[in-house]
Structures are given as C-alpha cells and as structure tokens.
Amino acid sequence: MTPRAPSVWQRALRQRSFMLGAVLTLLLLFAAGLSFVWTPWSPYEMDLPSKLQPPGAAHWLGTDAYGRDVASLLLVGARNSILVGVIAVGIGLGLGTALGLLAAARRGWVEEAIMRLADFTFAFPAILSAIMLTAVFGAGIVNSIIAIGIFNIPTFARVTRASANAVWAREYVLAARACGRSRWAITREHVLPNILPMLIVQATIQFALAILAEAALSYLGLGTQPPQPSWGRMLSEAQTLMFEAPLLAIWPGLAIALAVLGLNLLGDGLRDLLDPRLARSR
C-alpha cells in the first residue's frame, strides 16, 4: 500500500525556516495591530524632563531625546512599515503581473517593449525615485509608497514573464491552444493559477525589501514625516546619541532586522512548501 503524502500543514511543521519566519511575521503583524488599540504611552507627546531614561518599569525600552516612550514608537512604527509595504507591493504585484502576463501571451514586439521598459525602470531605484518625487512634490509617506511601488513593477513583470513562458511551453497549454482556446482564456485558466505560488513567494521577498526601503527613505528624511513614528527616522535621530544612549539605535535596528529576517524566512519556506517537486520528494 502506497503511503499517503504528508499534507501541506504537516510539511509546514517540519520546515524550521517557515515556522520561524511565520512566528516573526505574526509578531510584526501583532505589534502593528496592537498599536491601533493600545500603546504604553502616547507616541506623539513629548516629556522633556523624562528624556533619555534607561529601560525601566515605567518605560520598558526607555525614552528618546524628546521624552517619548520608545516601545510606543516601535509599535506605531511597525504599523507604518506594514502600510508602506502592503501598498507598495500591491502596486508592483498588480501592475507587474499584468505586464508580465501580457508579455508572455503576446510575445513579439509587445514582449520586447515591456521588457525594455522594465530595464529602463530598473535604472531608477526606490531611493532615487523618492528623491526625484520629493524634489517635485515634497517629502512624505505617499511619495515613498509610489517610489517603492514603481520599483517593484519591473521585478514582478520579469518574474511573471519568465514563469509564464515556462507554462506556455507545457503540453496541456499546447493542447488548449490546439482546441481553439484564446490566449486570454489560457492565461486566466492555466497560466496564472500555475504561477501564483511563485508570485506569493516573490511578494514576501519584496515586502521585506519595501520595509528596508521605507526605513532608508525615512532615515534620509524623505519618507514618513513627523509626528508619525518611523523606524528609519528613529535611527536617524539616534545617530547623534550613539555614545550617550546606544539603545536608541539598537531597538529600531533590531526591529527592522527581525522583520526582514522573518519575511525572508517565510518566503523561503513558502517556496519549499508550494513547489510540487519538493512536495513529492518529502
């Protein structure tokens, strides 16, 4: 009797990288969600007599140079990081996937034009795009989201086009074309469902990169603007106090590192779980 293949959940429990990434990602989401209903202190109120206090019972992670509670700033900063990541990755996923599917379905000059446009967009990374947008429209979180989203579009377009081309060469797709199915019907019914796992994995990776990009832009003063807390701006404000209060730089740096690590591990785990070849071998 042939043993039954393990379920997705059973394989997930065996994936240490997936489980660790899922735990870290859930902690990030929990911190962001908690900030909507509760924070130890108000992250917007300054208390100068209490500035630069070390961690203690009143302020678990201490206070910054303006007397604001660091734990509260980290919680609200997680919310802003997720907001930027979700919208920016959503922009890249929606537009990039559509362009990649179009390039794979039409081929010829359409594919060439889309890929060359993607190459051109790669010449303007998120930080450079944000600088240009800031020079025209001013600094802000909206411009950061637009810049990061634009940078994600060619990434998803390339991944989608490469994966879709592999599906278009499969026998069942060739059979569907021989039966007279249109290219758009084949794309909707066969190509997109088969490349969806790859897009999900890529989305988690781009989410991590979006958090890094948002932190870098906020560090440069181009991202989230005061009084909204941001992990990147917390690092920027802490750089002049490295010797007096080094923990002010450690906490946001640790938050960024754990968030990016969790999303990368989650992406690696999802890739292994959603790959049918690996599923059959385990």
Side-chain angles (χ1 to χ4, degrees), residues 16-187:
R16 294 182 179 179
S17 61
F18 174 81
M19 295 303 299
L20 179 58
V23 169
L24 292 176
T25 303
L26 287 176
L27 286 176
L28 174 65
L29 296 175
F30 175 77
L34 182 64
S35 69
F36 282 102
V37 296
W38 177 83
T39 54
W41 298 79
S42 172
Y44 308 108
E45 294 182 2
M46 294 185 293
D47 184 13
L48 293 179
S50 302
K51 67 178 183 179
L52 299 180
Q53 286 189 1
H59 299 280
W60 303 337
L61 301 181
T63 59
D64 68 357
Y66 302 100
R68 297 173 298 183
D69 183 66
V70 173
S72 301
L73 293 173
L74 289 175
L75 289 175
V76 180
R79 180 205 310 173
N80 292 330
S81 295
I82 289 179
L83 174 66
V84 173
V86 167
I87 299 178
V89 172
I91 293 173
L93 180 62
L95 296 178
T97 300
L99 291 173
L101 290 173
L102 176 62
R106 298 289 298 180
R107 307 300 293 266
W109 68 267
V110 174
E111 181 182 26
E112 188 69 19
I114 292 175
M115 290 301 101
R116 297 296 74 77
L117 180 61
D119 293 339
F120 176 78
T121 308
F122 268 127
F124 298 93
I127 294 180
L128 181 58
S129 299
I131 293 175
M132 293 188 296
L133 289 174
T134 299
V136 178
F137 301 106
I141 190 172
V142 175
N143 291 335
S144 298
I145 292 174
I146 294 174
I148 298 171
I150 291 175
F151 186 70
N152 280 328
I153 292 174
T155 301
F156 281 103
R158 283 174 169 273
V159 171
T160 301
R161 175 243 186 182
S163 302
N165 280 341
V167 176
W168 275 100
R170 300 284 178 83
E171 290 80 1
Y172 59 85
V173 173
L174 296 177
R177 294 181 63 183
C179 292
R181 299 290 291 173
S182 68
R183 288 183 176 270
W184 305 120
I186 293 174
T187 298

